[in-house]
Amino acid sequence: MTIMEPRKHGDASDGMVGGRMSRFEGSLKITGAATYALEYPFDNLAHAVLLQSTIAAGRVVSVETTAARAAPGVLMVLTPEDDLGLKMAGDWFGTPPEDKPYQPLPREVQFNGQSIVAVVAETREQAVEAAKLITITYDETASVKSIDDPNAGEGKLMDNLTVGWGDAEAALAAAPVSIEAEYATPREYHVAMEPHGLTAEWNGSELTIWEPSQWSHGMARMYAEWCGLPNENVRIISPFIGGGFGSKGQPLAYGAVAVAAAKRLGRPVRLAVTRPQNFTSYGGRAATRQKIALGATRDGILQAIVHRGASETSIYADYPEQTGAATPILYKVENFSSQHRIVPVNSVTPGALRGPGKNPSAYGIECAMEELAYKLDMDPLELRLKNYADHDYQSGKPWSTRRLREALTEGAEAFGWSRRSHAPRSMRKGKQLIGWGIGCGTFPVIRAPSDAIIRILGNGRVEVVSGSIDMGQGTYTILAQTASEVLGVPTDQIDVKLGDSRLPGSAIAGGSMLAGSITGAVHKAATAARDELIGLALSDANSPFRDTGSNTLSLTGGRIEAARGEGPSLSLGDLMAALGRDEIEVRRNTLPAGAQSAQEQQQAWTTMAKVQGPTMGDYSMHSWCAHFAEVVVDEDFGTVRVSRMVSAFDCGRLYNPKLVESQWKGGIIMGIGQALLEEGLIDPRNGRTVNNNVGDYLVPTNADIPDLQVISVGVPDYEASVLGGKGVGEVGIVGVAPAIANAVFHATGKRIRDLPITLEKLL
């Protein structure tokens, strides 16, 4: 099978880093020519479907499959009785796994919606009909349905998420002004447009998987460990992805089922997860609870922050949604205390959803800051500026760059904040109450190593080759721009190959770490390729430049010539022909020179062991933002609409402002959904997700979103990345929900502390 490569287009004037070039793969996607993982054609393809548990906890007593096995087209039924021949795999960090079998169809039920049985048939329709004939009998046991379950308890304190300095409790007690409040966020789900699924095919001891993947190399490693194979025997192919938001970064139980079924049958197996199953086959954002107390002087200088947070996790794995992630770094405070607990419940293990940790954390602290501002009768913008953090008080390190002050001031100017009337319910238009609110956000700079190949071909075209992925954020495009800037070749002469674990290693597309990582590798490889090309042009006996006396050459517009314009001017293809070269290939990575062994490279691409956090160095490195929201609330009906938003960002140098603005707006749209619409509803009787579909789990549509104005106030940050950029994908959502909540309070005088903000809460 072959991977469809995107056709390239682009204006050379936009082709350099910083140009507003449209996405390379955009035309393929809008015309339907982009082939997604579940669309590849196969001969002799079988189809698998899943049956999920209907209880929250217990044990499978029996599975009656006789009728299903006899149904037309059925090839196989897999139950907890079957040994699928799989082993445990290591985690994201490559921690050695336990030496025991892995059973993706377990007998012990840990949550409602857990996969229990799989049916494989000639067609998907036959598998679905056969699955209806199966009866599962359970021995049900007691369970904890949600974080609000009376039996949930207070949870387990996470020592690694306990942060403090000074004496926060004493400073809070002594503060002339204080506020204390509790804030809550519900379960949220990724709801990517492209549902999860895969096709698995074996060729002897080699396994190929077509699956939407945010991390082809890491997922291939985990599949290999499940199957007891060398890493190189597993290949993940994922050139196009229809949204991930953190949900497609690791293999999941359904993938193990498909792989095992394909091996047993000796033919390719496709498993497409249904939309309802997408709500429980992997974890969304956990429900959170926070209690925040702020103490301040009467003129608004923070004296203390005391934070206590909790989030749901599953009963079988600890995964914290870190409610204290943003709280320690947004504001200057000399006395700080934060703790986080995880509360085990019978649910699938939560996962990373855009802005993990920082998102709910910012919701708590930014709402609390607004409440303090009103307690002080102070403008919320003034309060934030008064408590601007001049350095990172948690790590004690200076910021690499931090232009949150500029985000606040320039955002306020663009929004017209000075025209705001301070008192709640003081701005209106007829029966419509108008409210304005602020919410600040942040996300850390996370750095990871990557690898890339640059090929200069005999026809003058350039190939950029990487195993990194593009799920809509623009990787194809910015890598072409990076190579174009270094090599002086127009982007329409550059082909980018991505989305295959057989290609050079790459960081995960998550945590906003991919762009800074992979552009660094491409820049390094392109620089080396340029130097090699120029060296050959100056020294090769067949080169027209050898006898010109030049000691350097320039590459511009796809042509090479002497720096002073003296002598010949050749296209890249003509030079390669003169040199008698079919290609020049250079491979470079961003690992340190002393960490280049095969084992270290393998560890770098397939685990998170080499990832560096925001304070691993001399500086504390983060992206920053300030959101200004206007809401319109109908006084009679309590309906809330966001009518205007202005958001200002410090994300360093923007590799492609057009694509960055799209990322920011996408995050803001998700934040509007979080504030007003999204809520996972759990049946307290059986732990079932009630609204497990896109009809009942509400996400924003075009009609819900006003025009969004986004502003960049950043400057290049060369501590954060080679090209000076900081992460843009995660930070856009952080701070949106509190900005809207604060605007709703300003409009109505009612403080809604639990999301989403719905009309029944306002009325």
Side-chain angles (χ1 to χ4, degrees):
M1 299 210 34
T2 59
I3 303 174
M4 180 182 294
E5 297 297 341
R7 295 189 294 271
K8 307 302 185 288
H9 67 276
D11 179 2
S13 64
D14 283 340
M16 308 289 277
V17 174
R20 299 183 65 86
M21 189 176 190
S22 295
R23 278 165 39 186
F24 270 18
E25 85 289 3
S27 61
L28 292 176
K29 290 181 175 178
I30 63 174
T31 59
T35 306
Y36 290 84
L38 293 176
E39 297 177 332
Y40 284 90
F42 287 84
D43 294 328
N44 201 30
L45 179 65
H47 295 264
V49 300
L50 299 170
L51 276 76
Q52 295 181 308
S53 68
T54 56
I55 63 171
R59 182 175 177 83
V60 176
V61 175
S62 65
V63 182
E64 176 50 57
T65 64
T66 304
R69 293 179 192 274
V74 171
L75 301 168
M76 179 187 300
V77 178
L78 297 173
T79 77
E81 293 289 341
D82 292 289
D83 179 1
L84 300 185
L86 303 173
K87 302 177 181 179
M88 296 293 289
D91 60 16
W92 281 21
F93 294 93
T95 307
E98 296 181 70
D99 184 15
K100 64 180 186 180
Y102 170 54
Q103 176 54 284
L105 300 173
R107 183 177 293 279
E108 300 295 329
V109 178
Q110 297 161 315
F111 59 93
N112 194 315
Q114 188 168 16
S115 296
I116 300 297
V117 176
V119 179
V120 188
E122 294 288 354
T123 69
R124 179 172 174 82
E125 291 76 14
Q126 289 173 327
V128 169
E129 290 304 310
K132 297 175 183 178
L133 305 175
I134 293 175
T135 301
I136 305 175
T137 304
Y138 302 97
D139 179 13
E140 188 171 2
T141 58
S143 61
V144 176
K145 312 305 190 302
S146 71
I147 196 170
D148 296 320
D149 192 307
N151 298 316
E154 67 175 6
K156 180 173 71 174
L157 182 65
M158 301 291 287
D159 291 336
N160 63 319
L161 300 180
T162 298
V163 178
W165 60 86
D167 189 340
E169 298 282 1
L172 178 66
V177 181
S178 64
I179 64 102
E180 181 175 292
E182 295 186 22
Y183 306 94
T185 64
R187 290 187 198 176
E188 300 166 41
Y189 301 96
H190 297 83
V191 203
M193 186 177 293
E194 174 196 34
H196 288 54
L198 75 158
T199 305
E201 182 178 46
W202 288 85
N203 182 10
S205 63
E206 294 190 349
L207 171 64
T208 304
I209 297 167
W210 290 260
E211 181 173 10
S213 170
Q214 293 179 230
W215 189 23
S216 61
H217 295 83
M219 286 180 62
R221 187 261 303 170
M222 294 181 198
Y223 273 113
E225 291 176 353
W226 274 347
C227 298
L229 298 172
N231 285 8
E232 59 269 20
N233 283 31
V234 178
R235 182 184 185 189
I236 302 277
I237 296 175
S238 182
F240 301 105
I241 302 166
F245 315 119
S247 69
K248 295 174 179 174
Q250 68 183 79
L252 298 159
Y254 63 79
V257 171
V259 164
K263 188 171 187 179
R264 285 194 173 197
L265 285 175
R267 58 191 285 190
V269 169
R270 175 167 295 165
L271 194 160
V273 181
T274 68
R275 180 61 73 183
Q277 289 171 348
N278 268 261
F279 284 74
T280 53
S281 291
Y282 51 91
R285 196 190 313 278
T288 72
R289 303 292 183 263
Q290 299 179 68
K291 180 183 288 186
I292 297 178
L294 304 180
T297 62
R298 297 193 186 281
D299 60 351
I301 304 301
L302 280 173
Q303 301 298 296
I305 298 176
V306 177
H307 173 271
R308 300 293 179 262
S311 63
E312 291 179 324
T313 190
S314 69
I315 63 169
Y316 58 94
D318 293 347
Y319 185 94
E321 182 72 21
Q322 303 175 23
T323 55
T327 322
I329 64 170
L330 277 175
Y331 299 105
K332 174 181 179 179
V333 64
E334 302 288 352
N335 302 282
F336 183 89
S337 173
S338 179
Q339 294 179 353
H340 184 86
R341 294 178 179 273
I342 51 173
V343 180
V345 303
N346 288 94
S347 76
V348 64
T349 302
L353 202 169
R354 200 171 197 163
K358 295 294 189 292
N359 179 311
S361 180
Y363 174 65
I365 186 62
E366 286 302 282
C367 287
M369 285 294 285
E370 200 90 354
E371 297 206 47
L372 178 62
Y374 276 93
K375 184 80 175 279
L376 294 163
D377 195 26
M378 181 179 292
D379 186 310
L381 174 62
E382 180 186 354
L383 179 66
R384 288 173 170 85
L385 292 173
K386 273 193 172 189
N387 291 283
Y388 188 82
D390 55 345
H391 69 277
D392 182 347
Y393 281 75
Q394 182 176 359
S395 68
K397 295 181 179 182
W399 309 115
S400 54
T401 55
R402 189 190 203 245
R403 292 176 60 82
L404 181 56
R405 185 191 303 277
E406 289 77 7
L408 283 164
T409 55
E410 294 184 31
E413 177 67 24
F415 188 78
W417 185 263
S418 61
R419 301 192 302 273
R420 176 182 183 269
S421 173
H422 179 67
R425 301 182 68 87
S426 60
M427 298 173 65
R428 65 169 60 229
K429 182 183 294 184
K431 285 285 189 179
Q432 294 181 323
L433 300 168
I434 310 297
W436 290 5
I438 301 175
C440 293
T442 181
F443 201 83
V445 171
I446 307 173
R447 294 163 294 169
S450 284
D451 191 13
I453 289 174
I454 293 288
R455 293 193 187 106
I456 301 174
L457 304 181
N459 60 6
R461 296 190 67 80
V462 172
E463 289 184 350
V464 181
V465 185
S466 166
S468 59
I469 67 91
D470 191 331
M471 56 181 170
Q473 78 274 43
T475 311
Y476 283 110
T477 312
I478 63 171
L479 294 194
Q481 290 177 277
T482 302
S484 174
E485 180 171 275
V486 175
L487 295 172
V489 176
T491 53
D492 59 9
Q493 292 178 221
I494 297 176
D495 301 302
V496 183
K497 297 183 177 181
L498 303 176
D500 189 331
S501 63
R502 292 284 173 88
L503 302 181
S506 168
I508 188 173
S512 287
M513 72 180 81
L514 178 61
S517 167
I518 194 60
T519 53
V522 169
H523 186 274
K524 189 174 182 179
T527 301
R530 180 194 63 197
D531 292 346
E532 183 174 336
L533 178 69
I534 290 174
L536 287 170
L538 292 173
S539 62
D540 191 280
N542 297 316
S543 171
F545 294 97
R546 183 179 181 186
D547 299 323
T548 61
S550 298
N551 57 12
T552 188
L553 301 170
S554 68
L555 275 164
T556 308
R559 302 188 68 81
I560 187 165
E561 56 189 24
R564 297 180 180 178
E566 301 168 355
S569 174
L570 276 71
S571 70
L572 213 51
D574 289 342
L575 176 62
M576 292 292 285
L579 295 173
R581 299 290 294 264
D582 292 328
E583 71 174 37
I584 294 172
E585 178 177 301
V586 174
R587 184 169 184 163
R588 292 290 186 273
N589 65 57
T590 56
L591 284 167
Q596 294 289 342
S597 70
Q599 181 179 4
E600 287 172 311
Q601 289 188 20
Q602 179 83 342
Q603 184 187 50
W605 322 141
T606 66
T607 77
M608 307 281 272
K610 300 287 187 181
V611 170
Q612 294 183 319
T615 58
M616 292 180 70
D618 296 331
Y619 297 93
S620 181
M621 297 174 285
H622 306 261
S623 293
W624 308 95
C625 62
H627 302 282
F628 295 79
E630 177 183 86
V631 301
V632 177
V633 182
D634 188 286
E635 191 172 15
D636 294 326
F637 296 104
T639 53
V640 181
R641 295 189 66 83
V642 178
S643 53
R644 191 163 60 95
M645 283 201 72
V646 174
S647 302
F649 293 87
D650 167 21
C651 294
R653 182 189 184 194
L654 307 185
Y655 304 145
N656 183 318
K658 184 175 186 177
L659 305 188
V660 168
E661 290 162 9
S662 178
Q663 283 286 290
W664 286 342
K665 290 178 180 179
I668 293 165
I669 291 166
M670 291 181 76
I672 293 172
Q674 179 186 27
L676 301 179
L677 300 169
E678 297 187 47
E679 180 180 18
L681 300 173
I682 311 303
D683 191 325
R685 300 168 299 176
N686 55 25
R688 182 175 70 92
T689 303
V690 176
N691 54 338
N692 59 352
N693 56 77
V694 290
D696 298 318
Y697 183 83
L698 303 180
V699 295
T701 66
N702 288 346
D704 299 305
I705 305 302
D707 287 336
L708 305 174
Q709 182 180 354
V710 291
I711 301 167
S712 173
V713 299
V715 295
D717 187 338
Y718 296 108
E719 298 293 335
S721 68
V722 171
L723 300 185
K726 300 190 287 189
V728 305
E730 307 273 9
V731 73
I733 193 174
V734 183
V736 175
I740 294 170
N742 293 334
V744 169
F745 171 78
H746 180 232
T748 66
K750 295 181 180 180
R751 172 64 62 179
I752 308 301
R753 299 185 178 91
D754 59 315
L755 296 180
I757 301 169
T758 55
L759 60 89
E760 63 266 24
K761 294 175 184 177
L762 282 172
L763 294 177

